[in-house]
């Protein structure tokens, strides 16, 4: 993974000069030479449509497509949005290549994606260097939008960030579940997993909790019994497991088989229908996640979205569906306020977004290009997510 990502970044740097020349022409003409030409505004989607976390990218794409259909019924100042999708195959190097293609060949005015933090980070420099706004619906690592105290000017997100999820999980463990000791199990190669774990540990220990075990696994592993046996011997009251659904499902299943019946909690990376298939509904009892929204929330805007989504796809929408949907409306609102398909003007409008009513919350973008919004905690009961509580920032 590291070798592939390095190769992709090197390739992107070699192409930067050429890309800048092409994008500069596009911006100077207000988009008429590229993604904003004629009656169509091209928007890129660089998503995990296949590979290890394809469920996330596919869900985001579904949300985007529903929103684009709705937006295009009215249009934006006489223009319609056209979604141009690329599959990054759940790999950072492919995400880099996808961003290059969308900017240099497809001439999009903005990029939506990726779903994961690692694949999003692989595109940040390309988008910034070429002055094309990029919005990740679910990349929660703080360094996506801000690095070393400096804001990445063209990068935005529609989700909350890792420290918020980790903090919420730690407070829930301490205050609601009343546990005093916890084990942490992370994906050693995931920026997302490490970020949540760091904030959980900081908040949990500051609140008087004790971390009794810290373990790691490698993505694509399938047998976690040795690691879980070590965790069991530490006798934790709670396990924090911030990972992605493929490994999480197996870990939860094997933990229960080993008699580890303590509460287990993770973040939005758990949110996939495949999790229940992998873990089994009984194993998921007494597990919790932090997430962006709940389809069971009675809020009228949420229920309107749920109804429209079910009508199109014949299933209930998950959080990644909702985030994709919201990202489309976030971008469309900015394009309308910018009065232009020029990427720089769109970027400026995105940064000024305030009190925008969306499905996953009321959006105001802060100075770090992150939204100020609430989180929800969901509990799995017999394989179904149930709304537990909502936590404000």
């Amino acid at each position: 993974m590291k070798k592939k990502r390095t190769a992709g970044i090197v390739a992107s740097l070699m192409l930067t000069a050429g890309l800048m020349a092409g994008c500069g022409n596009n911006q100077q003409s207000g988009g008429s030479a590229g993604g904003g030409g004629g009656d169509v505004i091209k928007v890129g989607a660089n998503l995990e449509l296949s590979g290890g976390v394809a469920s996330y990218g596919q869900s985001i794409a579904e949300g985007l497509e529903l929103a684009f259909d709705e937006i295009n019924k009215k249009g934006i100042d006489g223009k319609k949005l056209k979604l141009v999708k690329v599959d990054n195959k759940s790999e950072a190097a492919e995400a880099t290549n996808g961003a290059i293609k969308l900017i240099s060949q497809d001439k999009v005015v903005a990029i939506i994606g990726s779903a994961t933090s690692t694949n999003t980070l692989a595109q940040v420099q390309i988008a910034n260097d070429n002055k094309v706004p990029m919005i990740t619906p679910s990349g929660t690592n703080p360094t996506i939008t801000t690095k070393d105290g400096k804001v990445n000017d063209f990068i935005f997100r529609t989700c909350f960030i890792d420290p918020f999820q980790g903090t919420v999980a730690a407070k829930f463990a301490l205050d609601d579940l009343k546990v005093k000791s916890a084990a942490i199990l992370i994906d050693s190669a995931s920026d997302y997993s490490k970020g949540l774990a760091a904030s959980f540990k900081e908040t949990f220990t500051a609140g008087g909790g004790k971390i009794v075990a810290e373990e790691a696994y490698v993505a694509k592993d399938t047998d976690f019994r040795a690691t879980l046996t070590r965790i069991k011997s530490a006798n934790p009251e709670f396990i924090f497991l911030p990972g992605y659904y493929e490994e999480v499902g197996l870990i939860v299943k094997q933990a229960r088989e080993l008699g580890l019946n303590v509460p287990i909690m993770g973040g939005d990376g758990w949110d996939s229908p495949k999790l229940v298939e992998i873990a089994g509904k009984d194993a998921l009892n007494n597990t919790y996640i932090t997430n962006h929204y709940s389809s069971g929330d009675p809020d009228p805007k949420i229920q309107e979205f749920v109804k429209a989504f079910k009508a199109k796809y014949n299933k209930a929408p998950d959080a990644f569906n909702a985030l994709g949907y919201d990202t489309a409306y976030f971008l469309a609102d900015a394009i309308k306020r910018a009065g232009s398909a020029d990427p720089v003007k769109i970027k400026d409008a995105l940064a000024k977004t305030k009190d925008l009513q969306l499905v996953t919350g009321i959006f105001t973008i802060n100075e770090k290009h992150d939204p100020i919004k609430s989180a929800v905690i969901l509990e799995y009961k017999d394989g179904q997510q149930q709304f537990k509580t909502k936590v404000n920032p």
Side-chain angles (χ1 to χ4, degrees):
M1 177 70 80
K2 289 182 179 178
K3 289 181 180 178
K4 287 182 180 178
R5 183 178 179 188
T6 301
I9 292 171
V10 170
S12 74
L13 292 173
M14 291 173 67
L15 289 173
T16 294
L19 282 172
M20 285 294 288
C23 289
N25 292 335
N26 186 23
Q27 290 158 20
Q28 289 169 10
S29 60
S32 61
D39 296 327
V40 173
I41 300 172
K42 288 185 181 179
V43 176
N46 189 339
L47 297 170
E48 297 81 344
L49 301 176
S50 65
V53 290
S55 176
Y56 304 148
Q58 291 166 1
S59 287
I60 288 170
E62 289 172 343
L64 287 172
E65 287 163 358
L66 173 60
F68 273 48
D69 287 347
E70 294 176 354
I71 293 163
N72 285 337
K73 286 179 182 178
K74 295 182 179 179
I76 302 175
D77 297 330
K79 295 187 176 185
K80 293 189 176 182
L81 300 177
K82 180 179 179 180
L83 190 63
V84 182
K85 293 186 288 185
V86 295
D87 178 12
N88 63 42
K89 302 176 183 177
S90 301
E91 297 180 7
E94 291 294 335
T96 300
N97 294 335
I100 293 170
K101 175 187 179 295
L102 288 169
I103 294 171
S104 64
Q105 295 182 30
D106 299 307
K107 308 294 184 184
V108 299
V109 302
I111 295 174
I112 293 172
S114 291
T116 67
S117 293
T118 298
N119 295 337
T120 302
L121 286 164
Q123 306 173 66
V124 166
Q125 185 173 345
I126 298 165
N128 262 337
D129 287 350
N130 292 283
K131 295 180 169 35
V132 174
M134 184 178 81
I135 311 167
T136 173
S138 50
T140 51
N141 188 288
T143 62
I144 289 171
T145 52
T146 310
K147 183 86 179 274
D148 299 325
K150 183 180 178 181
V151 176
N152 287 320
D153 204 25
F154 281 80
I155 314 302
F156 299 84
R157 73 176 103 225
T158 44
C159 55
F160 42 62
I161 60 175
D162 291 341
F164 185 47
Q165 282 202 87
T167 298
V168 167
K171 289 183 175 179
F172 177 73
L174 289 165
D175 300 339
D176 291 70
L177 299 182
K178 307 295 184 184
V179 301
K180 296 297 182 184
S181 65
I184 298 174
L185 178 54
I186 66 166
D187 177 346
S188 61
S190 168
D191 297 313
Y192 163 82
S193 187
K194 290 183 282 189
L196 265 73
S199 56
F200 173 86
K201 181 178 179 180
E202 180 180 353
T203 303
F204 190 74
T205 54
K210 182 180 180 182
I211 304 298
V212 296
E214 293 184 70
E215 296 284 350
Y217 61 89
V218 179
K220 306 301 180 186
D221 280 353
T222 57
D223 188 349
F224 306 92
R225 291 175 180 83
T227 301
L228 290 168
T229 298
R230 289 195 297 271
I231 289 175
K232 185 178 180 181
S233 68
N235 199 30
E237 296 176 275
F238 176 91
I239 298 172
F240 188 55
L241 176 60
Y244 298 135
Y245 64 91
E246 280 200 327
E247 290 82 15
V248 164
L250 291 172
I251 290 169
V252 171
K253 183 173 186 282
Q254 292 170 21
R256 299 313 194 206
E257 289 171 351
L258 290 170
L260 261 171
N261 296 316
V262 299
I264 303 176
M265 188 169 188
D268 57 336
W270 285 37
D271 192 21
S272 168
K274 292 187 179 296
L275 178 68
V276 181
E277 295 176 19
I278 297 168
K281 63 180 183 179
D282 291 339
L284 283 169
N285 286 334
N286 200 24
T287 67
Y288 307 85
I289 61 171
T290 51
N291 214 343
H292 304 271
Y293 105 121
S294 168
S295 62
D297 191 317
D299 183 288
K301 189 167 185 68
I302 291 176
Q303 290 310 309
E304 182 181 334
F305 161 67
V306 171
K307 182 180 178 181
F309 189 91
K310 284 182 175 179
K312 183 174 177 65
Y313 297 109
N314 196 32
K315 62 181 180 180
D318 62 24
F320 289 89
N321 295 136
L323 288 168
Y325 184 86
D326 277 359
T327 302
Y329 273 98
F330 176 39
L331 177 60
D333 174 74
I335 293 172
K336 185 174 183 179
R337 285 187 289 108
S340 169
D342 175 70
V344 175
K345 291 181 180 178
I346 294 170
K347 178 266 296 183
D348 291 339
L350 287 168
K352 294 176 182 176
T353 300
K354 184 176 181 181
D355 296 333
L356 178 64
Q357 296 269 350
L358 297 175
V359 171
T360 62
I362 300 172
F363 276 53
T364 294
I365 296 298
N366 67 17
E367 68 281 0
K368 295 181 179 180
H369 289 186
D370 301 326
I372 303 169
K373 57 185 287 194
S374 302
V376 299
I377 292 175
L378 306 177
E379 180 180 4
Y380 281 92
K381 288 186 176 180
D382 297 322
Q384 300 294 319
Q385 291 181 354
Q386 296 196 5
F387 179 77
K388 188 78 176 174
T389 187
K390 183 176 286 187
V391 181
N392 294 317

